[in-house]
Amino acid sequence: MRPLLDIRAYLDTRAAAIMVAISLILVAAFAGLGGLLQPALLPVNTSDFENTVIVLTLPLTLIIPIIAVLITAGEWSDGSIQVTILQRPGRLAVLASKTLAAIVVVGVLVAISLALAALATWIGGEMLGDGASFDSLDGVLSTQLPVIAVTLLFSLAMGLALQSTVLGLIAAIGFPFVVGTASAVGVLTGSEFLTDLVRAFDLQTAATAFGNGEATAFELIPLVLLVILPAAFGIWRWSHREVG
């Protein structure tokens, strides 16, 4: 495996440079909005770390799929995978390397995002309000980080299974939106059948339940349907798909 090579190959393009720049700008902007505006908007006139991270997850749920899908499926879409496999014949090793590269890049981005969120929370609370609160760190670890983690896992699974940048992005970004919309419709209509059906495909709710320690066997269904099975199919397809 050569994940550093895959990271360098991903970052060493104009498109990736633009993507990284836009991602950092969005992360900084949303962290600033979340941390600096809380004292002015909340009755308690303080800035809470978890609230800042909640705001920050909005751009991250779009950025993470783009990074993960581009790294895992980008070379299949532009045809350069043929050169990669000729240079590195071990297909599963290449797949593992690209997957690890995506995890590392996203991990660094999330770490930077959390650091910016903490800084914005402190500035907003201490300088613009009556104080900053970091007591909700447990909530971030048990709720927001699991949601970010399943966003990454689902995006990787879509990139591996579809091996197409366009299709992978449509699935990784569009499917959670459809699930969220269907969940809202189920609540508004009071349909228990629709609610249970959507719950079987709601990765974010399942991740939150696991993070809070409230998960049941039912929460395994979304992980199996949306992560494990597509990833397994993607691994098989990666090993057998003809190149060229």
Side-chain angles (χ1 to χ4, degrees):
M1 291 194 302
R2 302 175 67 181
L4 292 179
L5 178 63
D6 289 304
I7 293 174
R8 190 163 60 247
Y10 167 71
L11 296 177
D12 192 24
T13 62
R14 181 176 300 177
I18 295 173
M19 176 62 196
V20 170
I22 293 175
S23 298
L24 292 176
I25 291 172
L26 285 175
V27 165
F30 275 79
L33 287 174
L36 301 179
L37 294 183
Q38 284 186 64
L41 299 177
L42 296 180
V44 292
N45 199 34
T46 61
S47 186
D48 185 82
F49 181 56
E50 185 176 11
N51 290 336
T52 306
V53 176
I54 290 173
V55 174
L56 196 56
T57 55
L58 295 175
L60 286 178
T61 52
L62 294 177
I63 295 170
I64 289 174
I66 293 174
I67 293 175
V69 171
L70 286 178
I71 292 179
T72 54
E75 290 191 6
W76 286 103
S77 291
D78 61 26
S80 60
I81 191 67
Q82 183 172 6
V83 177
T84 299
I85 291 178
L86 287 174
Q87 294 175 342
R88 300 156 62 186
R91 286 197 176 198
L92 291 181
V94 173
L95 181 149
S97 180
K98 288 186 176 297
T99 301
L100 183 58
I103 293 173
V104 170
V105 173
V106 170
V108 171
L109 176 63
V110 171
I112 294 173
S113 301
L114 293 178
L116 290 173
L119 178 62
T121 301
W122 180 78
I123 294 175
E126 299 295 337
M127 297 186 178
L128 303 177
D130 295 332
S133 174
F134 291 90
D135 296 335
S136 57
L137 180 60
D138 289 343
V140 173
L141 296 177
S142 63
T143 303
Q144 303 308 316
L145 285 186
V147 169
I148 291 173
V150 296
T151 299
L152 172 59
L153 292 177
F154 177 63
S155 302
L156 289 172
M158 293 301 99
L160 294 178
L162 299 174
Q163 294 173 15
S164 165
T165 302
V166 175
L167 295 178
L169 289 176
I170 290 174
I173 296 175
F175 189 80
F177 175 78
V178 172
V179 170
T181 303
S183 178
V185 171
V187 172
L188 292 174
T189 59
S191 172
E192 293 185 4
F193 171 77
L194 180 59
T195 299
D196 290 339
L197 179 63
V198 172
R199 186 183 166 202
F201 296 92
D202 194 344
L203 265 178
Q204 293 189 357
T205 300
T208 301
F210 276 106
N212 292 329
E214 301 173 353
T216 63
F218 193 91
E219 272 67 41
L220 292 173
I221 297 176
L223 291 175
V224 172
L225 293 178
L226 301 180
V227 176
I228 295 176
L229 291 180
F233 171 72
I235 293 171
W236 176 86
R237 190 183 182 201
W238 189 289
S239 300
H240 295 84
R241 181 179 176 181
E242 292 186 7
V243 178

